[in-house]
Amino acid sequence: MHDQGLTVSSKPTAVHLVTLGCARNEVDSEELAALLERDGYRLVADPGAADAVLVNTCGFIEAAKKDSIDTVLAASDLKKTGSAQAVVAVGCLAERYGHELAEALPEADAVLGFDDYPDIADRLRLILSGARHPAHLPRDRRSLLPLAPAARPLVAKAGVIPGHGSLRLDAVGPASGPRAFRRRLDGGPSAPLKIASGCDRRCTFCAIPAFRGAYVSRQPAEIKSEAAWLVEQGVREIFLVSENSSSYGKDLGDIRLLERLLAELAEIDGLSWIRVSYLQPAEIRPSLIEVMAGTPKVVPYFDLSFQHASARVLRRMRRFGSAESFLGLVESIRRLAPAAGIRSNVICGFPGETEADVDVLCEFLVAAELDAIGVFGYSAEDGTEAQGLDGQHPPEEIEARRTRVADLADELVSQRAEARIGEWVQVLVEEADSDIVGRAAHQGPEVDGNVRLVTDTGVTREDFARGDLVNAVVSGSDGVDLVATAILDQPVPSISERVLTTP
């Protein structure tokens, strides 16, 4: 959870934003913040000082839904203990359940869907006046777009797609001067940048396409403009996000468009790192691996959503693949980028999964030597095909399998981190206070561990600042986290020199 906001105006109406869930939600929150700020609202960091609290909810799995509801309930207490007059739920949970959530959660003064986003300032003004804005009736947002991807570029006919042209208003920000894409709520050196929304895949466990819609790519020119704008805001690393980044460009008539986009983003002055997230293994092309492994500024980082390794379970998930094919993919990446960071998520306890399937998954994880592994217990999501499959496991069995795989994953990523001792790394400094902490190129924001920098004689903390890119050598590890010695008197090796060597 990210409590976000800054005092930016003397206007009386104060708003506090709480963002839950993924980096895509962070982008949505920053766009909502820009629209609110443009209309005269103040964004405040202290929820107790807010007139209204917006909770950008997550609706992915049961645990995330519970967290979202708990956050709304906690925010509603501010109407008694703080200055809050209204609590508003937005985001995926609000879009997914609409009026049903509003009826079940009277503590929320409003539940707003994606179609309310462009008018968020007016909606909030109405709510603060005491009026009750009706919650929407949820619909399958895939039905808003043509089935054929090539027929989708006219997204203005598709309702509101957060992060796309229908929400981005030319007038956001000052009446004159450069366009503001978002209102940054985190002053760190890394920022997510949405390249697409929605998903065309039909994974049997996933409800996201129904409430996020079909796959829609943003135009390359708009992405590049936003990347340049982020650099102007002090960003050193952009993190390209979507529900499935490996599909980027298919609706624009060019399935290899991501390769060209990466090369063009690398030309932006002041940008140091480009990171790609949410890659579908079945859609990875050799040319994409080559571009990600060889393009300057594109970090050697592969976020591959394996979900399982048993071919039988993957077929039931409608994911496809196998332990053998996934290991081949990992090998092809490391052949071009030996020091690449590779992360993935896996699901345990899927309907019909056997103990033998769990064994296959564990054996695959041991062989793959991944840098980061997210382990989730299966959650039967409303409206998904998997909810009706045979072989449903009781909750205690799902948790037992999740615990077994999670314990193994913790051990494996610790071993992988330890194996990096002696390796050159580039570290993007994120904290330069009592400790100097950042991330190496193989570590994604927030979820993949960090690097604590130690210094040689004569080097002080004053030599480091947030956003610095520091050359270092890994000297130790603690779980998935690394300790590295900063080397300030030698040039940082090119990001394309991806070899495991010591100075």
Side-chain angles (χ1 to χ4, degrees):
M1 181 181 83
H2 310 284
D3 284 4
Q4 300 170 317
L6 297 169
T7 301
V8 296
S9 170
S10 60
K11 298 287 184 178
T13 306
V15 180
H16 177 73
L17 274 147
V18 183
T19 305
L20 303 171
C22 65
R24 301 184 294 277
N25 255 14
E26 293 180 29
V27 176
D28 295 351
S29 285
E30 293 193 348
E31 292 190 332
L32 291 172
L35 293 170
L36 289 168
E37 184 180 70
R38 185 199 66 176
D39 226 70
Y41 290 87
R42 284 188 302 127
L43 303 174
V44 296
D46 178 10
D51 299 305
V53 178
L54 262 64
V55 181
N56 192 351
T57 61
C58 178
F60 180 40
I61 57 176
E62 196 62 36
K65 290 186 282 188
K66 182 180 183 303
D67 189 25
S68 293
I69 291 171
D70 288 346
T71 303
V72 171
L73 292 174
S76 70
D77 291 340
L78 295 171
K79 289 187 282 188
K80 299 177 182 177
T81 62
S83 60
Q85 303 170 43
V87 173
V88 178
V90 297
C92 291
L93 190 69
E95 175 62 39
R96 183 176 180 185
Y97 291 102
H99 73 100
E100 182 182 346
L101 180 63
E103 292 178 357
L105 198 62
E107 292 83 0
D109 296 278
V111 173
L112 304 182
F114 296 153
D115 291 337
D116 291 306
Y117 282 18
D119 301 311
I120 186 66
D122 289 337
R123 295 283 190 271
L124 189 54
R125 191 172 292 112
L126 185 69
I127 295 161
L128 285 167
S129 73
R132 192 80 179 181
H133 182 72
H136 68 286
L137 290 172
R139 54 182 170 172
D140 189 332
R141 294 185 74 87
R142 290 170 293 191
S143 65
L144 301 177
L145 286 164
L147 184 62
R152 297 176 190 163
L154 297 178
V155 297
K157 298 180 179 179
V160 172
I161 303 176
H164 290 251
S166 56
L167 180 59
R168 297 175 184 279
L169 305 180
D170 291 338
V172 168
S176 61
R179 178 184 184 185
F181 285 88
R182 294 145 54 176
R183 173 62 165 89
R184 289 216 69 206
L185 297 170
D186 180 351
S190 178
L193 198 169
K194 190 179 293 188
I195 64 171
S197 290
C199 187
D200 285 342
R201 302 193 71 86
R202 294 296 182 264
C203 303
T204 57
F205 57 81
C206 185
I208 288 176
F211 59 83
R212 277 288 184 179
Y215 196 87
V216 178
S217 301
R218 289 179 63 198
Q219 293 289 337
E222 186 176 358
I223 294 170
K224 288 185 287 183
S225 294
E226 183 169 344
W229 177 83
L230 286 168
V231 170
E232 292 172 0
Q233 309 307 304
V235 170
R236 299 287 308 271
E237 173 191 31
I238 58 171
F239 188 30
L240 305 183
V241 299
S242 71
E243 275 74 22
N244 178 7
S245 296
S246 42
S247 279
Y248 177 74
K250 71 175 185 178
D251 52 321
L252 302 178
D254 187 354
I255 194 59
R256 299 183 187 276
L257 191 56
L258 180 57
E259 287 95 306
R260 279 187 280 280
L261 175 65
L262 291 173
E264 292 172 4
L265 289 172
E267 296 175 357
I268 296 176
D269 291 337
L271 182 61
S272 299
W273 282 2
I274 303 164
R275 189 178 302 275
V276 184
S277 68
Y278 305 111
L279 296 169
Q280 163 61 246
E283 297 180 13
I284 298 295
R285 305 170 294 279
S287 60
L288 179 58
I289 297 174
E290 291 170 4
V291 168
M292 290 180 64
T295 301
K297 299 186 181 180
V298 177
V299 296
Y301 177 83
F302 292 80
D303 179 10
L304 303 171
S305 181
F306 290 128
Q307 302 300 353
H308 213 282
S310 164
R312 194 184 68 83
V313 174
L314 288 164
R315 282 194 298 272
R316 285 173 67 86
M317 290 179 169
R318 204 171 287 135
R319 297 281 299 186
F320 311 108
S322 65
E324 292 75 18
S325 65
F326 291 164
L327 287 173
L329 175 57
V330 169
E331 181 183 354
S332 68
I333 291 169
R334 292 202 171 121
R335 187 163 52 246
L336 294 176
I342 305 178
R343 84 164 331 271
S344 192
N345 296 319
V346 298
I347 296 173
C348 302
F350 190 77
E353 179 192 66
T354 65
E355 289 289 351
D357 293 321
V358 180
D359 291 341
V360 170
L361 175 58
C362 291
E363 291 166 2
F364 163 74
L365 294 176
V366 170
E369 297 182 323
L370 305 178
D371 292 88
I373 306 167
V375 182
F376 297 90
Y378 168 71
S379 174
E381 292 300 308
D382 296 335
T384 60
E385 184 179 341
Q387 191 179 31
L389 291 177
D390 58 3
Q392 301 280 336
H393 297 290
E396 58 271 18
E397 178 61 25
I398 293 174
E399 177 57 22
R401 295 184 182 190
R402 189 205 66 81
T403 299
R404 174 190 169 188
V405 177
D407 289 347
L408 174 63
D410 287 344
E411 180 181 350
L412 293 173
V413 298
S414 295
Q415 292 173 0
R416 176 68 176 164
E418 185 176 7
R420 289 188 180 272
I421 293 175
E423 177 184 336
W424 275 105
V425 290
Q426 293 175 316
V427 179
L428 182 64
V429 176
E430 297 181 307
E431 299 175 19
D433 299 317
S434 56
D435 287 323
I436 306 160
V437 180
R439 287 179 292 106
H442 70 273
Q443 295 171 316
E446 298 187 4
V447 295
D448 294 347
N450 57 42
V451 179
R452 181 171 61 85
L453 287 172
V454 296
T455 59
D456 285 333
T457 304
V459 180
T460 67
R461 290 184 177 85
E462 287 68 34
D463 293 312
F464 300 89
R466 199 178 193 193
D468 284 351
L469 193 62
V470 177
N471 192 26
V473 177
V474 179
S475 55
S477 65
D478 181 8
V480 72
D481 299 325
L482 300 176
V483 178
T485 302
I487 310 294
L488 301 186
D489 60 349
Q490 297 186 42
V492 179
S494 167
I495 196 67
S496 61
E497 295 174 17
R498 298 179 172 100
V499 291
L500 299 175
T501 59
T502 55

